Structure formats: C-alpha cells, structure tokens
Coordinates of all heavy atoms in Angstrom, one line a residue:
L22 N 96.0 120.6 87.0 CA 95.4 119.3 87.3 C 94.0 119.1 86.6 O 93.7 118.0 86.4 CB 95.3 119.2 88.8 CG 96.5 119.0 89.6 CD1 96.3 118.9 91.0 CD2 97.2 117.7 89.2
A23 N 93.4 120.2 86.2 CA 92.2 120.1 85.5 C 92.2 119.4 84.2 O 91.4 118.5 83.8 CB 91.5 121.4 85.4
L24 N 93.3 119.6 83.4 CA 93.5 119.0 82.1 C 93.7 117.5 82.4 O 93.1 116.7 81.7 CB 94.7 119.6 81.4 CG 95.1 118.9 80.2 CD1 94.0 118.9 79.1 CD2 96.3 119.5 79.5
I25 N 94.6 117.1 83.3 CA 94.8 115.7 83.5 C 93.6 115.0 84.0 O 93.3 113.9 83.5 CB 95.9 115.6 84.7 CG1 97.3 116.2 84.3 CG2 96.2 114.2 85.1 CD1 97.8 115.7 83.0
E26 N 92.8 115.6 84.8 CA 91.5 114.9 85.3 C 90.6 114.8 84.1 O 89.9 113.8 84.0 CB 90.9 115.7 86.4 CG 91.6 115.5 87.7 CD 91.7 114.1 88.1 OE1 90.7 113.3 88.0 OE2 92.8 113.7 88.6
A27 N 90.5 115.8 83.2 CA 89.6 115.6 82.0 C 90.1 114.5 81.1 O 89.2 113.7 80.6 CB 89.6 117.0 81.3
L28 N 91.4 114.4 80.9 CA 92.0 113.3 80.1 C 91.7 112.0 80.7 O 91.4 111.0 80.0 CB 93.4 113.6 79.8 CG 93.8 114.9 78.9 CD1 95.3 115.1 78.9 CD2 93.3 114.6 77.5
R29 N 92.0 111.9 82.0 CA 91.7 110.7 82.7 C 90.3 110.2 82.6 O 90.0 109.1 82.4 CB 92.2 110.8 84.2 CG 91.9 109.6 85.1 CD 92.3 110.0 86.6 NE 91.9 108.9 87.4 CZ 90.6 108.7 87.8 NH1 89.6 109.6 87.5 NH2 90.3 107.7 88.6
A30 N 89.4 111.2 82.8 CA 87.9 110.8 82.8 C 87.5 110.2 81.4 O 86.8 109.3 81.3 CB 87.1 112.0 83.2
Q31 N 88.1 110.9 80.3 CA 87.7 110.5 79.0 C 88.3 109.1 78.8 O 87.8 108.3 78.1 CB 88.2 111.5 78.0 CG 87.8 111.1 76.5 CD 86.4 111.1 76.3 OE1 85.5 111.7 77.0 NE2 86.0 110.3 75.3
A32 N 89.6 108.9 79.2 CA 90.2 107.6 79.0 C 89.5 106.5 79.7 O 89.2 105.4 79.1 CB 91.7 107.7 79.5
L33 N 89.1 106.7 80.9 CA 88.3 105.7 81.6 C 86.9 105.5 80.9 O 86.5 104.3 80.8 CB 88.0 106.1 83.1 CG 89.3 106.1 83.9 CD1 89.0 106.8 85.3 CD2 89.9 104.8 84.1
K34 N 86.3 106.5 80.4 CA 85.1 106.4 79.7 C 85.2 105.5 78.5 O 84.3 104.7 78.0 CB 84.6 107.8 79.3 CG 83.2 107.9 78.7 CD 82.9 109.3 78.4 CE 81.5 109.5 77.9 NZ 81.2 110.9 77.5
L35 N 86.4 105.6 77.8 CA 86.7 104.7 76.7 C 87.2 103.3 77.0 O 87.5 102.6 76.1 CB 87.8 105.5 75.8 CG 87.2 106.8 75.2 CD1 88.4 107.5 74.5 CD2 86.2 106.5 74.2
G36 N 87.3 103.0 78.3 CA 87.7 101.7 78.7 C 89.2 101.5 78.9 O 89.7 100.4 78.9
V37 N 89.9 102.6 79.0 CA 91.4 102.5 79.2 C 91.6 102.1 80.6 O 91.1 102.6 81.5 CB 92.0 103.9 78.8 CG1 93.5 103.8 79.2 CG2 91.8 104.2 77.4
A38 N 92.6 101.1 80.8 CA 93.1 100.7 82.1 C 94.2 101.6 82.6 O 95.1 101.8 81.8 CB 93.5 99.3 82.1
I39 N 94.1 102.2 83.8 CA 95.1 103.1 84.3 C 95.7 102.5 85.5 O 95.0 102.1 86.4 CB 94.6 104.4 84.5 CG1 94.1 105.1 83.2 CG2 95.7 105.3 85.1 CD1 93.4 106.4 83.4
F40 N 97.1 102.3 85.6 CA 97.7 101.7 86.7 C 98.6 102.8 87.3 O 99.6 103.2 86.7 CB 98.6 100.5 86.3 CG 97.7 99.4 85.8 CD1 97.3 99.4 84.5 CD2 97.4 98.4 86.7 CE1 96.5 98.2 84.1 CE2 96.5 97.3 86.2 CZ 96.1 97.2 84.9
Y41 N 98.4 103.1 88.6 CA 99.2 104.1 89.3 C 100.2 103.4 90.1 O 100.0 102.2 90.6 CB 98.4 105.0 90.2 CG 97.4 105.9 89.4 CD1 96.1 105.5 89.2 CD2 97.9 107.0 88.8 CE1 95.2 106.3 88.5 CE2 97.0 107.9 88.1 CZ 95.7 107.5 87.9 OH 94.8 108.3 87.2
E42 N 101.4 104.1 90.4 CA 102.4 103.5 91.3 C 102.8 102.1 90.9 O 103.0 101.1 91.6 CB 101.9 103.5 92.8 CG 101.6 104.8 93.3 CD 101.2 104.9 94.8 OE1 101.7 104.0 95.5 OE2 100.3 105.6 95.1
T43 N 103.0 101.9 89.6 CA 103.4 100.7 88.9 C 104.6 100.9 88.1 O 104.7 101.9 87.3 CB 102.3 100.2 88.1 OG1 101.0 100.1 88.8 CG2 102.6 98.8 87.5
T44 N 105.6 100.0 88.3 CA 106.9 100.2 87.6 C 107.1 99.2 86.5 O 107.1 98.0 86.7 CB 108.0 99.9 88.6 OG1 108.0 100.8 89.7 CG2 109.4 100.1 87.9
A45 N 107.0 99.7 85.2 CA 107.2 98.8 84.0 C 108.6 98.3 84.1 O 109.6 99.0 84.2 CB 107.0 99.7 82.8
T46 N 108.8 97.0 83.8 CA 110.0 96.3 83.8 C 110.3 95.7 82.4 O 111.5 95.5 82.1 CB 110.1 95.2 84.8 OG1 109.0 94.2 84.6 CG2 109.9 95.7 86.2
Q47 N 109.3 95.4 81.6 CA 109.7 94.9 80.3 C 108.4 95.2 79.4 O 107.2 95.0 79.8 CB 109.8 93.4 80.4 CG 110.1 92.7 79.1 CD 110.3 91.2 79.3 OE1 109.9 90.6 80.3 NE2 111.0 90.6 78.3
L48 N 108.7 95.6 78.2 CA 107.7 95.8 77.1 C 108.1 95.0 75.9 O 109.2 95.3 75.4 CB 107.6 97.3 76.8 CG 106.5 97.6 75.8 CD1 105.1 97.2 76.1 CD2 106.5 99.1 75.5
Q49 N 107.3 94.1 75.4 CA 107.7 93.3 74.3 C 106.6 93.4 73.2 O 105.4 93.3 73.5 CB 107.8 91.9 74.7 CG 108.2 91.0 73.7 CD 108.5 89.5 74.2 OE1 109.0 89.4 75.3 NE2 108.3 88.5 73.4
R50 N 107.0 93.6 72.0 CA 106.1 93.6 70.9 C 105.7 92.2 70.5 O 106.5 91.3 70.4 CB 106.8 94.3 69.7 CG 106.0 94.3 68.4 CD 105.0 95.5 68.4 NE 104.4 95.7 67.1 CZ 103.2 95.6 66.8 NH1 102.3 95.4 67.8 NH2 102.7 95.8 65.6
E51 N 104.4 92.0 70.3 CA 104.0 90.6 69.9 C 103.2 90.8 68.6 O 103.0 91.9 68.1 CB 103.1 90.0 71.0 CG 103.8 89.8 72.2 CD 103.0 89.1 73.3 OE1 101.7 89.1 73.2 OE2 103.6 88.3 74.1
Q52 N 102.8 89.7 68.0 CA 102.1 89.7 66.8 C 100.8 90.5 66.7 O 100.5 91.3 65.8 CB 101.8 88.3 66.3 CG 101.2 88.2 64.9 CD 101.0 86.7 64.5 OE1 101.3 85.8 65.2 NE2 100.7 86.5 63.2
R53 N 100.1 90.5 67.8 CA 98.8 91.2 67.9 C 98.8 92.4 68.9 O 97.8 92.8 69.3 CB 97.7 90.3 68.3 CG 97.4 89.2 67.3 CD 96.3 88.4 67.6 NE 96.0 87.4 66.6 CZ 94.9 86.7 66.6 NH1 94.0 86.9 67.5 NH2 94.7 85.9 65.6
G54 N 100.0 92.9 69.2 CA 100.0 94.0 70.2 C 101.3 93.9 71.0 O 102.4 93.7 70.6
Y55 N 101.1 94.1 72.3 CA 102.2 94.3 73.2 C 101.9 93.5 74.5 O 100.8 93.2 74.9 CB 102.4 95.7 73.7 CG 102.8 96.6 72.6 CD1 101.8 97.2 71.8 CD2 104.1 96.7 72.2 CE1 102.2 98.0 70.7 CE2 104.5 97.6 71.1 CZ 103.5 98.2 70.4 OH 103.9 98.9 69.3
E56 N 103.1 93.0 75.1 CA 102.9 92.4 76.5 C 103.8 93.3 77.4 O 104.9 93.5 77.0 CB 103.5 91.0 76.5 CG 103.4 90.5 78.0 CD 103.9 89.0 78.0 OE1 103.1 88.1 77.7 OE2 105.1 88.8 78.3
L57 N 103.2 93.7 78.5 CA 103.9 94.6 79.4 C 104.0 93.9 80.7 O 103.0 93.4 81.2 CB 103.1 95.9 79.6 CG 103.7 96.9 80.7 CD1 105.0 97.4 80.3 CD2 102.7 97.9 81.0
R58 N 105.2 93.8 81.3 CA 105.4 93.3 82.6 C 105.7 94.4 83.5 O 106.5 95.3 83.2 CB 106.4 92.2 82.6 CG 106.1 91.0 81.8 CD 107.2 90.0 81.8 NE 106.7 88.8 81.1 CZ 106.2 87.7 81.7 NH1 106.1 87.7 83.0 NH2 105.8 86.7 81.1
A59 N 105.2 94.4 84.7 CA 105.4 95.5 85.7 C 105.3 95.0 87.1 O 104.8 93.9 87.3 CB 104.3 96.6 85.4
I60 N 105.7 95.8 88.0 CA 105.6 95.5 89.4 C 104.7 96.5 90.0 O 104.8 97.8 89.9 CB 107.0 95.6 90.1 CG1 108.1 94.8 89.5 CG2 106.8 95.3 91.6 CD1 107.7 93.3 89.5
G61 N 103.6 96.0 90.6 CA 102.6 96.8 91.2 C 103.0 97.4 92.5 O 104.1 97.0 93.1
K62 N 102.2 98.4 93.0 CA 102.6 99.0 94.2 C 102.8 98.1 95.5 O 103.5 98.4 96.5 CB 101.7 100.2 94.6 CG 100.3 99.8 94.9 CD 99.5 101.1 95.1 CE 98.0 100.8 95.3 NZ 97.2 102.0 95.4
D63 N 102.1 97.0 95.4 CA 102.2 96.0 96.6 C 103.3 94.9 96.3 O 103.3 93.9 97.0 CB 100.9 95.3 96.9 CG 100.2 94.6 95.6 OD1 100.9 94.7 94.5 OD2 99.2 94.0 95.8
G64 N 104.1 95.1 95.2 CA 105.1 94.2 94.9 C 104.7 93.0 94.0 O 105.6 92.2 93.6
E65 N 103.5 92.9 93.6 CA 103.1 91.8 92.7 C 103.5 92.1 91.3 O 103.5 93.2 90.8 CB 101.6 91.6 92.9 CG 100.7 92.7 92.1 CD 99.3 92.4 92.3 OE1 98.7 92.5 93.5 OE2 98.6 92.2 91.3
L66 N 103.7 91.0 90.6 CA 104.0 91.0 89.2 C 102.6 91.2 88.4 O 101.6 90.5 88.6 CB 104.6 89.7 88.6 CG 104.7 89.6 87.1 CD1 105.8 90.7 86.6 CD2 105.3 88.2 86.8
V67 N 102.6 92.2 87.5 CA 101.5 92.5 86.7 C 101.8 92.2 85.2 O 102.8 92.7 84.8 CB 101.0 93.9 86.8 CG1 99.8 94.3 86.0 CG2 100.7 94.3 88.3
V68 N 101.0 91.4 84.5 CA 101.3 91.1 83.1 C 100.0 91.6 82.4 O 98.9 91.1 82.6 CB 101.6 89.6 82.8 CG1 101.8 89.4 81.4 CG2 102.8 89.2 83.7
L69 N 100.3 92.5 81.4 CA 99.2 93.0 80.6 C 99.4 92.7 79.1 O 100.5 92.9 78.7 CB 99.0 94.6 80.8 CG 98.9 95.0 82.2 CD1 99.1 96.5 82.3 CD2 97.5 94.6 82.7
R70 N 98.4 92.5 78.4 CA 98.4 92.3 76.9 C 97.5 93.3 76.4 O 96.3 93.3 76.8 CB 98.2 90.9 76.6 CG 99.2 89.9 77.0 CD 99.0 88.5 76.5 NE 100.1 87.6 77.0 CZ 100.2 87.1 78.1 NH1 99.3 87.3 79.1 NH2 101.2 86.3 78.5
A71 N 97.9 94.1 75.3 CA 97.1 95.1 74.8 C 97.5 95.4 73.4 O 98.6 95.2 73.0 CB 97.1 96.3 75.7
R72 N 96.6 96.0 72.7 CA 96.9 96.5 71.3 C 97.8 97.6 71.4 O 98.6 98.0 70.4 CB 95.6 96.8 70.5 CG 94.8 95.6 70.3 CD 93.5 96.0 69.4 NE 92.8 97.0 70.3 CZ 91.7 97.5 70.0 NH1 91.1 97.3 68.8 NH2 91.1 98.4 70.8
A73 N 97.7 98.5 72.4 CA 98.5 99.7 72.5 C 98.9 99.9 74.0 O 98.1 99.5 74.8 CB 97.8 100.9 71.9
V74 N 100.0 100.5 74.2 CA 100.5 100.8 75.6 C 101.0 102.2 75.6 O 101.8 102.6 74.7 CB 101.6 99.8 76.0 CG1 102.2 100.2 77.4 CG2 101.1 98.4 76.0
M75 N 100.7 102.9 76.7 CA 101.2 104.3 76.9 C 101.9 104.2 78.3 O 101.2 103.9 79.3 CB 100.1 105.3 76.9 CG 100.7 106.7 77.1 SD 99.5 108.0 77.4 CE 98.6 108.0 75.9
I76 N 103.2 104.5 78.3 CA 103.9 104.6 79.6 C 104.2 106.0 79.9 O 104.7 106.8 79.1 CB 105.2 103.8 79.5 CG1 104.9 102.3 79.1 CG2 106.0 103.9 80.8 CD1 106.1 101.5 78.9
A77 N 103.7 106.5 81.1 CA 104.1 107.8 81.5 C 104.6 107.9 82.9 O 104.3 107.1 83.7 CB 102.7 108.6 81.5
S78 N 105.5 108.9 83.1 CA 106.1 109.0 84.4 C 105.3 110.2 85.1 O 104.5 110.8 84.6 CB 107.6 109.4 84.3 OG 107.7 110.6 83.7
G79 N 105.5 110.3 86.4 CA 104.8 111.3 87.2 C 105.1 112.7 86.7 O 106.2 113.1 86.2
G80 N 104.1 113.5 86.8 CA 104.2 114.9 86.4 C 104.6 115.8 87.6 O 104.5 115.4 88.8
F81 N 104.9 117.1 87.3 CA 105.2 118.0 88.3 C 104.0 118.9 88.8 O 104.1 119.6 89.6 CB 106.4 118.9 87.8 CG 106.1 119.7 86.6 CD1 105.5 120.9 86.7 CD2 106.5 119.2 85.4 CE1 105.2 121.6 85.5 CE2 106.2 119.9 84.3 CZ 105.6 121.1 84.3
E82 N 102.9 118.7 88.1 CA 101.7 119.5 88.4 C 101.2 119.4 89.8 O 100.7 120.3 90.4 CB 100.6 119.2 87.5 CG 100.8 119.5 86.0 CD 101.5 118.3 85.3 OE1 101.8 117.2 85.8 OE2 101.8 118.4 84.2
G83 N 101.5 118.2 90.5 CA 101.0 118.0 91.8 C 102.0 118.5 92.9 O 101.7 118.4 94.1
S84 N 103.2 119.0 92.4 CA 104.2 119.5 93.4 C 104.3 121.0 93.3 O 104.8 121.5 92.3 CB 105.5 118.9 93.1 OG 106.6 119.5 93.8
Q85 N 103.9 121.7 94.4 CA 104.0 123.2 94.4 C 105.5 123.6 94.2 O 105.7 124.6 93.5 CB 103.4 123.7 95.7 CG 103.3 125.2 95.7 CD 102.5 125.8 94.6 OE1 101.4 125.3 94.3 NE2 102.9 126.8 94.0
E86 N 106.4 122.9 94.8 CA 107.8 123.3 94.7 C 108.3 123.2 93.2 O 109.0 124.1 92.8 CB 108.7 122.3 95.5 CG 110.2 122.5 95.4 CD 110.9 121.5 96.2 OE1 110.4 120.6 96.9 OE2 112.2 121.5 95.9
M87 N 107.9 122.1 92.5 CA 108.3 122.0 91.1 C 107.6 123.1 90.2 O 108.2 123.6 89.3 CB 108.0 120.6 90.6 CG 108.9 119.5 91.2 SD 110.7 119.8 90.9 CE 110.7 119.5 89.1
M88 N 106.4 123.4 90.6 CA 105.6 124.4 89.8 C 106.3 125.8 89.9 O 106.3 126.6 89.0 CB 104.2 124.5 90.2 CG 103.4 123.3 89.9 SD 103.1 123.1 88.1 CE 101.9 124.4 87.8
T89 N 106.8 126.1 91.1 CA 107.5 127.4 91.3 C 108.8 127.5 90.5 O 109.3 128.6 90.2 CB 107.7 127.8 92.8 OG1 108.5 126.8 93.4 CG2 106.4 127.9 93.5
K90 N 109.4 126.4 90.3 CA 110.7 126.4 89.5 C 110.5 126.6 88.1 O 111.1 127.1 87.3 CB 111.5 125.0 89.7 CG 112.0 124.8 91.1 CD 112.7 123.5 91.2 CE 113.3 123.4 92.6 NZ 114.1 122.2 92.7

C-alpha cells in the first residue's frame, strides 16, 4: 500500500483527478483528447473530458485473503 499511496500523492500533486468507486461506461476518442462517461458511486452520470485517461480496476493489496494466495 505504501507504493500506491506514494503514486497517489504524486498524481494529486500534479493535478490528476482520481475517482474511486466509479464505473466507466464509455470512452471515446475526440480531436483534442478523450471523453469518458461513467456512473459515480451515488448513481450519477459523470462526464469527463481530458487529454489522457487511465482506467484501473481494484487491486488485491487491500485484501489479506488475496495477498495470501
């Protein structure tokens, strides 16, 4: 978890927006970047436009059961 926290801290320092518990539903390439549509944890539609997008799924580092496997 220390590595993830260090990467997260640096990303936030650089102005990266991080959305947790959000389900991406559509990613579309546009002339100047990308448009991402997602459903937020409260069920609301989130539309983001950005030059770059990184989509990541949950890791196993937070689960002791998965770490032992």
Side-chain angles (χ1 to χ4, degrees):
L22 288 175
L24 174 61
I25 299 302
E26 285 303 316
L28 292 172
R29 178 185 170 279
Q31 184 62 27
L33 292 174
K34 189 175 179 181
L35 294 171
V37 173
I39 300 174
F40 294 84
Y41 295 98
E42 298 180 38
T43 303
T44 302
T46 58
Q47 182 179 21
L48 178 63
Q49 183 172 325
R50 176 84 166 120
E51 296 188 335
Q52 187 174 1
R53 294 185 178 191
Y55 296 89
E56 178 180 278
L57 173 70
R58 292 177 177 264
I60 304 298
K62 64 182 174 182
D63 58 358
E65 73 181 65
L66 174 65
V67 178
V68 179
L69 304 167
R70 290 180 180 84
R72 293 180 301 181
V74 175
M75 180 188 302
I76 299 175
S78 63
F81 58 85
E82 296 88 359
S84 168
Q85 187 60 41
E86 178 185 351
M87 292 299 291
M88 290 292 286
T89 58
K90 290 182 179 184

